[in-house]
Amino acid sequence: MADDPLVTIDRHIIDQERRRPEATGAFSNILHDIAIAAKIISREVNRAGLVDIVGSAGKFNVHGEDVRKLDEFADEVMFNTLDHTGHLCVMASEEVEDPIPIPDEFPCGNYVLLHDPLDGSSNIEANVSLGTIFSIHRKISKGERGGLEDLLQPGHKQLAAGYVVYGSSTMLVYTTGAGVHGFTLEPSIGEFLLSHPGMKIPDPGKKIYSVNEAYYKRWSPGQQKAVDELKDAGFSLRYIGSLVADFHRTLLYGGIFMYPADAKSPKGKLRLLYEAAPLAMIIEEAGGGSSNGAGSILNVEPEELHQRTPLYLGTRHLIEAMEAALQSDG
Ligand code: AHM
Ligand code: MG
């Protein structure tokens, strides 16, 4: 027997659960189910290049009849994998306008799931990495079934957060507040295997900034100056335009990812609950920083489900320097 046994994601989740005597297993089951959904989405993302061959550009053929977009498919996979388990009381998806109730025929549980089922899907035809992002909260409302109140919780209340990156390999990275752990999908056995235990963002890390610099003229003077200074300090620019891919690189190499507010989008573009908060929990747990320009993303009190936020994620001292630069905007 090998000295270092392979650690599957299920084994890892169970090991983490054993450290919490109060755990009921429900929470572990949710993570397990998300991993299953991720495998299904991964399989279809990998096949997306075949879309043109079957002659339905921009669309995805699921069962030979039903033609749907891949992001809608991913949304359905998340819902169908998690709606009936009795562990969730409500869900929300970047793809869906309103809170998603658990169907009446199924029991409700104590947890809440928010997700962006397939972020960056506008890049799919270019074979660029896409991602799924998820966030889990505890139910706080009094009624039997969950609702908006359960969904509008600040990031620091998250019990778990994670993402899946569908890249040259598929990786799932998650945290329950006990370190950040990354798993790589081994397709031949269909298992996520622990490949990146205890992830930490390198500090100082590589000198990389990541932002859509085409919007430079719309930025505030403080934002412009901060980026000018990064260039003067010898930073390189890397921007894929697919959040999970840009975030994953930032977590592994260090540097700073930015999606600032600008004159056209004064609240930024990215969503607080589906994108910013879960990635903020991960980066802070990995020793880095998150900000909306004024303070940690994890302290932002959400007011609406699809709320947008300016977003900065990365090596802590770069986030602090960015906040200082933005102060000068008043
Ligand atoms: P989407 O929800 O339409 O896929 O948009 C989200 C994507 C992110 O993946 C990425 O960080 C950002 O939009 C890129 O935006 P831009 O093209 O303005 O740089
Ligand atoms: Mg998105």
Side-chain angles (χ1 to χ4, degrees):
M1 223 160 84
D3 289 344
D4 294 321
L6 295 177
V7 179
T8 65
I9 194 162
D10 281 338
R11 176 173 173 169
H12 194 268
I13 291 167
I14 289 166
D15 283 350
Q16 298 247 321
E17 183 189 312
R18 285 206 185 105
R19 295 181 196 181
R20 293 182 304 132
E22 78 286 3
T24 60
F27 182 67
S28 296
N29 281 335
I30 297 170
L31 291 170
H32 166 87
D33 291 339
I34 290 172
I36 290 178
K39 287 185 212 174
I40 297 170
I41 297 168
S42 176
R43 185 190 64 195
E44 301 306 340
V45 167
N46 288 157
R47 281 194 203 155
L50 296 169
V51 164
D52 285 347
I53 297 171
V54 296
S56 53
K59 294 283 180 175
F60 169 72
N61 192 317
V62 182
H63 296 302
E65 309 165 13
D66 197 5
V67 179
R68 281 175 288 181
K69 284 164 115 178
L70 197 52
D71 47 8
E72 289 167 11
F73 170 77
D75 191 56
E76 286 184 27
V77 170
M78 290 295 281
F79 180 73
N80 292 334
T81 311
L82 287 139
D83 66 339
H84 56 280
T85 60
H87 302 313
L88 296 176
C89 64
V90 66
M91 290 189 249
S93 161
E94 205 216 45
E95 292 286 319
V96 180
E97 187 72 22
D98 296 316
I100 308 168
I102 300 302
D104 287 342
E105 66 263 40
F106 301 128
C108 277
N110 287 326
Y111 298 98
V112 178
L113 175 70
L114 301 102
H115 62 85
D116 183 350
L118 198 62
D119 185 74
S121 52
S122 60
N123 292 303
I124 190 143
E125 304 220 347
N127 226 340
V128 164
S129 299
L130 311 178
T132 298
I133 309 171
F134 62 89
S135 162
I136 301 175
H137 282 276
R138 193 180 299 283
K139 179 176 186 286
I140 53 169
S141 63
K142 295 280 178 274
E144 191 214 329
R145 306 188 90 78
L148 192 58
E149 181 188 353
D150 300 299
L151 297 163
L152 296 184
Q153 298 192 57
H156 67 84
K157 294 260 178 76
Q158 289 173 109
L159 298 175
Y163 65 86
V164 186
V165 57
Y166 309 102
S168 44
S169 43
T170 294
M171 271 194 75
L172 190 155
V173 175
Y174 85 101
T175 183
T176 56
V180 177
H181 308 287
F183 301 78
T184 303
L185 183 61
E186 162 51 280
S188 68
I189 56 170
E191 285 283 3
F192 280 108
L193 302 176
L194 182 63
S195 52
H196 296 64
M199 295 171 86
K200 290 282 171 199
I201 184 169
D203 191 353
K206 290 194 182 174
K207 291 177 148 189
I208 296 174
Y209 73 100
S210 183
V211 68
N212 190 336
E213 205 163 343
Y215 306 147
Y216 184 92
K217 289 189 175 163
R218 299 186 210 155
W219 292 344
S220 69
Q223 176 69 40
Q224 290 177 335
K225 186 162 168 282
V227 168
D228 291 344
E229 284 174 3
L230 290 171
K231 286 193 228 187
D232 291 343
F235 275 59
S236 290
L237 168 62
R238 296 282 183 274
Y239 189 69
I240 298 168
S242 188
L243 176 62
V244 173
D246 281 315
F247 178 81
H248 189 60
R249 183 200 54 249
T250 305
L251 178 61
L252 289 176
Y253 295 173
I256 181 167
F257 170 84
M258 303 172 255
Y259 205 111
D262 65 38
K264 192 173 162 204
S265 308
K267 294 180 175 167
K269 174 182 183 185
L270 299 175
R271 314 288 180 146
L272 174 63
L273 294 173
Y274 312 107
E275 297 169 323
L279 298 182
M281 181 179 183
I282 291 169
I283 205 103
E284 293 203 15
E285 183 66 24
S290 79
S291 180
N292 64 356
S296 168
I297 287 285
L298 297 181
N299 292 331
V300 178
E301 291 285 341
E303 286 165 8
E304 49 185 277
L305 205 47
H306 291 272
Q307 186 167 332
R308 296 176 194 271
T309 178
L311 181 60
Y312 301 85
L313 300 162
T315 304
R316 191 185 294 265
H317 73 269
L318 295 175
I319 299 295
E320 287 165 3
M322 182 57 64
E323 285 182 348
L326 294 171
Q327 294 283 318
S328 62
D329 288 326

